[in-house]
Amino acid sequence: MDFKQEVVSLLSSQIEDLTSEEILEAIEVPKNASMGDYAFPCFKLAKVFRKAPNMIAAEIAEKLESDAFEKIESVAAYINFTINKSAYAKQVVEKVIVLGDDYGKQNLGDNKKVIVEYSSVNIAKIMHIGHIRSAMIGNSLARIYDALNYDVVRINHLGDYGTQFGKMIVAYKKWGDKAIVEKNPVDELVKLYVKFHDEAENDPSLDDEAREWFTKLENGDPEATELWQWMKDFSMVEFNRVYDLLDCEFDSFAGESFYSDKMPAILEELREKKIVKKDDGAEIVDLEEYGMPPSLITKRDGSSLYVTRDIAAAVYRKKTYDFYKNIYVVGAPQQLHFKQWMQIVKLMGYDWADDCEHVMFGIVSMEDGKMSTRKGRVVKLEDVLLKAKDSILEVIEEKNPGLENKEEVAKQVGIGAVVFQELFHNRIKDYVFSWEKMLSAEGESGPYVQYAHARACSLLRNIDVTDVSVDYSILNDDASMEVIRHLSKFEEIVVDAARKYEPSIVTRYVTSLAQAFNTFYNANRISDQSEDVQAARLALVKAVKITIKNALHLITIQAPEQL
Ligand code: ARG
């Protein structure tokens, strides 16, 4: 039952001069709860009814009756509706329990195709803590869109192409040692890459050599291709370890190199449509009219660029997937890049450029200021995840040494804590990584929410009241009603998070649900109560357990049953 809709249909039966839409629009939610849950002002009816608004309110209120409301009364010119709490409780709690794992899922998408591109890391580079942002915002958006019945395609647009691979090949051939690299591949390659830059400062011919090797790679030279493939393969082994820890999934790893053979056709098209112009041997698109600097499409040596690859990728995705929406989860510093290429796609005559969305985010920094990619001081994402797990394992060993599958639970809680912190803030905000806040069992943290879930599980395990019919009037107290109001909002929350591309909406919601649940738990005893009271409260506990688990799933956090 939709209570607001019920107000509309009750009023419609008495007020012929207003349409249902007009009535719906006029309904207010009183600030003061003693005035009920909905209020309808009668001022506008004075003309039609030729009576004072107060009298109209009183007369209409008199005639209205419905099981959905425990009170319908007039106060001055308003008709106030107070929801029947038992009916409301029954409606919400039963819906959650019946739907179970499906509570929160809705058919907004009609199976329309949505691409979520995320993570998109550069190969032969270290995956540091900053990389958690695209990975987790993207993975969660994919789950949120999936829950809304969109057909989601998860793409990892790997940074596996570009002149840096020429440099990497030169450095490896000059100073690399296969055995050493294979032992610790990404770290060693990064070292070689740094060395290349140091050496190239004094010896510019190295840059020429690097360019030659990249051209070789573009032309399919076997040695260049083999070295590049080798770097790519071992990078993927490292990345996949992290993706496994984070439960990140992808349908496609079509990255930048995938588009190398699709570039000539795009360049051809850009020339034919007279969108590019020559500029000192290079080709550019003038974007002054759109308030942006020109975009470089090909370099003087003819090699293609990042922008061009993104245009080729977008065109390919439209052809291959015919997407309804094409989402890019990429940091805010690339805003201009995305604006530029999307404008170019529009200039090519493709309206679907408007269906491409750059979902950007701010920066994560470490409390002790330890992070600096340029200075080579990086905090590896994998190390952070494993350290979080170890810290939780220590706590478990101390507080609950008898727990089954300790390792697994520690992983779920430790990594969940990192992910929770990542997805708690509005994505555009910069945030400071805090070990202390993150691992705290109090306040706004992953462990706090997981603990609330585990508490619900344990209540349900300990007392068995199946097959007792529930008297929902037992849930009329404030603390229970607050939990019920939270539960009823979940579906709206999922839609809102999708519309705003904002997983933090779900994170904040589940935190506030867990808080409301803990207040309920402290205010209402469950053990040593009559069977009726137990049954009603446990029904609520069950609905909470389901909703927390479903919400955590959307933000890629596990919900262990025992901690
Ligand atoms: N690999 C790029 C980087 O690390 C991000 C790629 C973003 N995606 C895209 N389609 N351009 O900066």
Side-chain angles (χ1 to χ4, degrees), residues 18-150:
L18 295 181
T19 65
S20 315
E21 286 77 38
E22 286 168 326
I23 292 175
L24 183 67
E25 252 173 54
I27 295 173
E28 298 173 6
V29 175
K31 289 208 179 68
N32 184 344
S34 70
M35 293 288 150
D37 300 288
Y38 299 105
F40 182 79
C42 296
F43 303 103
K44 279 195 191 150
L45 300 176
K47 258 194 201 153
V48 208
F49 283 68
R50 295 169 184 281
K51 271 183 207 158
N54 293 14
M55 279 174 70
I56 304 170
E59 276 172 24
I60 297 178
E62 176 100 352
K63 289 187 202 140
L64 301 180
E65 213 180 309
S66 159
D67 288 346
F69 300 98
E70 62 190 28
K71 212 162 61 181
I72 302 176
E73 59 176 8
S74 66
V75 174
Y78 287 85
I79 306 170
N80 294 344
F81 297 79
T82 304
I83 287 173
N84 178 335
K85 286 183 186 147
S86 310
Y88 182 54
K90 177 175 159 66
Q91 178 200 315
V92 174
V93 173
E94 283 186 351
K95 177 175 177 180
V96 177
I97 292 175
V98 166
L99 289 175
D101 288 347
D102 289 336
Y103 182 52
K105 293 185 186 163
Q106 296 153 82
N107 182 19
L108 199 75
D110 261 327
N111 221 27
K112 286 197 287 278
K113 197 75 93 190
V114 167
I115 294 178
V116 184
E117 186 217 286
Y118 64 103
S119 193
S120 305
V121 280
N122 296 329
I123 65 165
K125 290 266 169 68
I126 288 166
M127 211 169 175
H128 58 72
I129 179 70
H131 287 116
I132 195 175
R133 303 231 62 190
S134 175
M136 294 330 288
I137 295 169
N139 201 61
S140 300
L141 286 179
R143 288 188 177 195
I144 289 167
Y145 274 88
D146 189 47
L148 295 174
N149 198 29
Y150 288 91

Side-chain angles (χ1 to χ4, degrees), residues 102 126 190 213 237 262 374 388 478 512:
D102 289 336
I126 288 166
V190 169
W213 273 101
V237 172
K262 296 162 187 68
R374 221 176 300 141
D478 288 351
S512 143

Side-chain angles (χ1 to χ4, degrees), residues 117 119-122 131 157-159 256 306 310 313 317 328-330 334 337-338 341:
E117 186 217 286
S119 193
S120 305
V121 280
N122 296 329
H131 287 116
H157 185 82
L158 289 174
E256 295 191 39
Y306 187 47
D310 260 322
R317 286 181 195 176
Y328 296 82
V329 186
V330 181
Q334 296 198 31
H337 164 76
F338 277 90
W341 77 249

Side-chain angles (χ1 to χ4, degrees), residues 371-425:
M371 271 272 283
S372 160
T373 323
R374 221 176 300 141
K375 294 189 187 131
R377 284 193 316 223
V378 292
V379 178
K380 280 194 188 178
L381 180 50
E382 186 175 17
D383 292 349
V384 169
L385 299 175
L386 296 176
K387 186 173 159 193
K389 174 190 139 187
D390 288 344
S391 307
I392 296 291
L393 192 57
E394 265 174 42
V395 178
I396 296 178
E397 291 291 3
E398 192 190 306
K399 296 204 171 147
N400 190 5
L403 181 69
E404 271 176 59
N405 38 12
K406 277 185 268 197
E407 275 282 326
E408 185 56 24
V409 174
K411 190 176 133 193
Q412 296 181 344
V413 179
I415 293 173
V418 184
V419 173
F420 182 97
Q421 168 163 272
E422 160 56 28
L423 295 177
F424 187 73
H425 308 87

